[in-house]
Amino acid sequence: MTAIVIVGTQWGDEGKGKITDYYAEDADYVVRFQGGNNAGHTIMVGDETFKFHLLPSGILRTEKKVVIGNGVVVDPIVLLDELTEIKKRGFAIKNLYISDRAHVIMPYHKIIDGIEEKLKKGFKAGTTKRGIGPCYSDKIARFGVRMIDLLDKETLEKKLDILIPIKQKTLDIYGENIKLSKIDILEEYLACGEKLKKYVADTSLLINNALDEKKMVLFEGAQGTHLDIDHGIYPFGTSSNTIAGGACIGTGIGPQRIDKVIGVVKAYTSRVGTGPFPTELDDENGEYMREKGGEYGTTTGRPRRCGWLDMVMVRFAVRVNALDALVITKIDVLSGLKNIKICREYEHKEKIIRDFPADMNVLADCKPVYDELDGWGYYSKDEWKRMVKKGYEALPDNMKLYLDHIRKETGVEMELISVGPRRWETIDMRSHH
Ligand code: IMP
């Protein structure tokens, strides 16, 4: 296997950061292909916690090559901050490559994100206000600034001469009393370009060459399948293609090059942001998941909405990503619950729905149909350690029944089962089947 794509099967926050970091051990390259600093991945190395928004999870494994692909939207100020933080904590930045074609989040994108969210009323997605949507809009409308533009004063100035008056008009129409300064923006972004110059490269060429040499390349998805701009809960999702196909577009490789697609499934569901959520729990079980699972946004700190695992969502993810394997995360969080439910299908106006609907009005009226399973006990860190060491068979019987249920519903095998945030808290099934 040389090219592996990892994607989230739900609404993001499945624990992909830890999983990517785990797989990154065998990889030569770790590549991000979409999204920007709306993402947040938490990685634990020993007892140290690292939170990244823009840098790929592989950055802490300093011997790896780490790539920000053309499909990512880059806030260069955030990127420089993250690099400074990592250096401060003793990690070297040796092998970072940023696509020359990646689009840049400009100051006006962040402002417009905030304003439009307010104006959108019922359509608002509850964005992270990082300028993601407006930056992707400009990319598609061909109003964008790319990384390569930051490296040349004349080019950037020429672009800003055209773009700033247009953006100023937008702000004026919105009735905002904000004046954009071309000179300030030009100076700040050229300075960023100067600092980032050494990392900017033709990353499609780099990755294709690596694949030709049979190097292992890990493509790290951000957000999740159901936030995808085409296949997610439009208009409440994000502005990029989060599904596995996005790895091709967002890095410049052909689809035949991908050997394997892995879907990360959190053992329950969470959502930060607005929109219908059929299995949402507004009770003590939801609260239990939020508190035990630390379900607060890495990027915004917002409490996440929590609910039972929804197999309608996961089966959809199996289909649109053509998943070869599943990774189950945070199953330890469910420990101690007496009964655990899994949504099998939805009921809508006395009809059964097995496939995730496109219509958000329908989704909002869907009632989950549940299978109910017995829970398992609460285990101490030492007991988990023992179970992880012994492997899958040592897991509590009811947990194995829960995992069997997921297998049966998806028809896809599991490769890893994660029972905690640390690297060692992982049961690797690759030797099991
Ligand atoms: P945006 O990506 O900031 O435009 O936000 C659009 C929607 O996607 C909002 O509902 C966000 O809460 C959600 N979102 C964006 N990034 C993430 C993420 O990394 N995890 C979970 N939700 C996200």
Side-chain angles (χ1 to χ4, degrees):
M1 293 290 167
T2 64
I4 297 179
V5 181
I6 298 181
V7 291
T9 59
Q10 294 147 312
W11 280 309
D13 309 315
E14 297 93 353
K16 292 181 298 298
K18 168 192 159 165
I19 299 306
T20 308
D21 177 67
Y22 188 91
Y23 279 99
E25 174 140 44
D26 302 324
D28 301 295
Y29 289 71
V30 183
V31 182
R32 266 196 71 175
F33 56 89
Q34 46 71 227
N37 59 313
N38 48 349
H41 17 275
T42 309
I43 298 161
M44 290 198 74
V45 182
D47 280 331
E48 270 204 84
T49 305
F50 292 82
K51 288 183 196 286
F52 300 122
H53 298 286
L54 188 53
L55 285 168
S57 304
I59 194 82
L60 295 180
R61 298 186 183 269
T62 48
E63 71 286 5
K64 315 285 176 197
K65 290 191 167 43
V66 165
V67 181
I68 294 178
N70 57 276
V72 175
V73 285
V74 178
D75 185 329
I77 297 159
V78 171
L79 181 57
L80 286 166
D81 281 351
E82 286 192 1
L83 292 175
T84 307
E85 171 72 15
I86 288 182
K87 276 189 225 153
K88 249 203 282 180
R89 292 175 70 175
F91 287 81
I93 315 286
K94 284 191 292 203
N95 295 312
L96 172 66
Y97 301 86
I98 307 166
S99 168
D100 45 11
R101 291 169 169 84
H103 277 249
V104 176
I105 299 180
M106 303 298 286
Y108 45 80
H109 290 140
K110 293 180 250 190
I111 302 170
I112 291 172
D113 196 354
I115 300 170
E116 290 185 342
E117 267 289 278
K118 269 192 260 154
L119 294 172
K120 277 180 176 173
K121 299 199 171 104
F123 276 151
K124 81 165 174 213
T127 75
T128 56
K129 303 209 174 75
R130 302 296 192 264
I132 307 295
C135 183
Y136 277 116
S137 302
D138 275 7
K139 168 177 170 173
I140 302 302
R142 288 164 279 125
F143 276 136
V145 174
R146 305 196 296 175
M147 283 306 296
I148 188 104
D149 302 329
L150 301 191
L151 309 187
D152 182 62
K153 180 167 186 265
E154 210 175 303
T155 311
L156 185 60
E157 187 158 15
K158 234 192 223 164
K159 272 205 171 177
L160 292 183
D161 276 335
I162 296 166
L163 293 176
I164 299 287
I166 297 174
K167 297 300 166 186
Q168 187 62 58
K169 266 192 199 137
T170 309
L171 293 178
D172 295 345
I173 290 167
Y174 281 153
E176 295 293 317
N177 188 19
I178 297 172
K179 285 280 162 262
L180 298 173
S181 157
K182 185 197 93 178
I183 293 298
D184 290 353
I185 295 175
L186 181 65
E187 276 176 9
E188 186 175 21
Y189 280 70
L190 279 176
C192 290
E194 188 56 37
K195 287 185 196 145
L196 292 172
K197 190 164 66 184
K198 56 178 175 287
Y199 307 120
V200 177
D202 182 341
T203 51
S204 162
L205 190 61
L206 181 80
I207 297 167
N208 278 285
N209 285 343
L211 291 172
D212 288 344
E213 290 165 22
K214 302 273 178 262
K215 299 270 189 241
M216 182 180 158
V217 182
L218 198 58
F219 296 89
E220 169 185 4
Q223 290 86 43
T225 295
H226 289 270
L227 292 176
D228 185 279
I229 185 69
D230 287 282
H231 302 281
I233 48 163
Y234 193 88
F236 304 113
T238 191
S239 299
S240 60
N241 285 112
T242 58
I243 63 170
C248 295
I249 295 162
T251 64
I253 61 156
Q256 303 95 321
R257 303 215 79 152
I258 294 174
D259 297 303
K260 184 173 188 175
V261 183
I262 296 170
V264 183
V265 182
K266 184 155 65 181
Y268 51 96
T269 313
S270 73
R271 167 88 178 110
V272 50
T274 56
F277 179 170
T279 65
E280 182 167 18
L281 291 170
D282 233 347
D283 61 7
E284 68 277 11
N285 285 332
E287 191 56 31
Y288 191 84
M289 293 167 188
R290 182 158 41 250
E291 290 314 312
K292 276 193 63 195
E295 297 295 349
Y296 291 88
T298 317
T299 301
T300 57
R302 289 179 287 180
R304 294 179 186 143
R305 302 156 69 193
C306 292
W308 298 118
L309 181 59
D310 183 342
M311 297 316 295
V312 183
M313 289 179 72
V314 178
R315 284 195 309 263
F316 179 93
V318 170
R319 164 161 50 96
V320 298
N321 294 294
L323 296 181
D324 295 299
L326 302 181
V327 165
I328 309 297
T329 59
K330 297 182 98 164
I331 194 159
D332 55 302
V333 171
L334 300 180
S335 303
L337 289 173
K338 219 168 147 33
N339 299 298
I340 300 177
K341 293 182 182 176
I342 305 185
C343 170
R344 179 178 67 223
E345 56 209 9
Y346 302 146
E347 193 189 309
H348 181 261
K349 299 199 168 141
E350 289 168 25
K351 274 209 187 105
I352 292 296
I353 295 187
R354 296 264 310 159
D355 299 305
F356 200 85
D359 186 336
M360 290 300 106
N361 294 322
V362 171
L363 187 65
D365 285 339
C366 278
K367 305 239 170 337
V369 180
Y370 287 116
D371 290 306
E372 192 161 340
L373 281 80
D374 291 332
W376 53 89
Y378 195 81
Y379 296 92
S380 67
K381 271 269 164 277
D382 279 345
E383 284 169 309
W384 280 117
K385 214 171 228 174
R386 228 179 1 255
M387 283 190 265
V388 170
K389 218 176 216 159
K390 284 195 181 148
Y392 183 75
E393 294 309 331
L395 290 176
D397 285 343
N398 285 348
M399 187 189 282
K400 281 187 278 187
L401 288 176
Y402 189 74
L403 293 167
D404 279 344
H405 196 94
I406 299 173
R407 273 191 202 98
K408 200 175 73 203
E409 281 286 329
T410 56
V412 184
E413 265 308 327
M414 283 155 203
E415 218 167 78
L416 302 180
I417 296 160
S418 170
V419 295
R422 291 171 186 80
R423 280 177 185 168
W424 67 263
E425 291 169 308
T426 312
I427 294 174
D428 199 326
M429 307 283 287
R430 283 176 287 185
S431 47
H432 186 82
H433 34 74

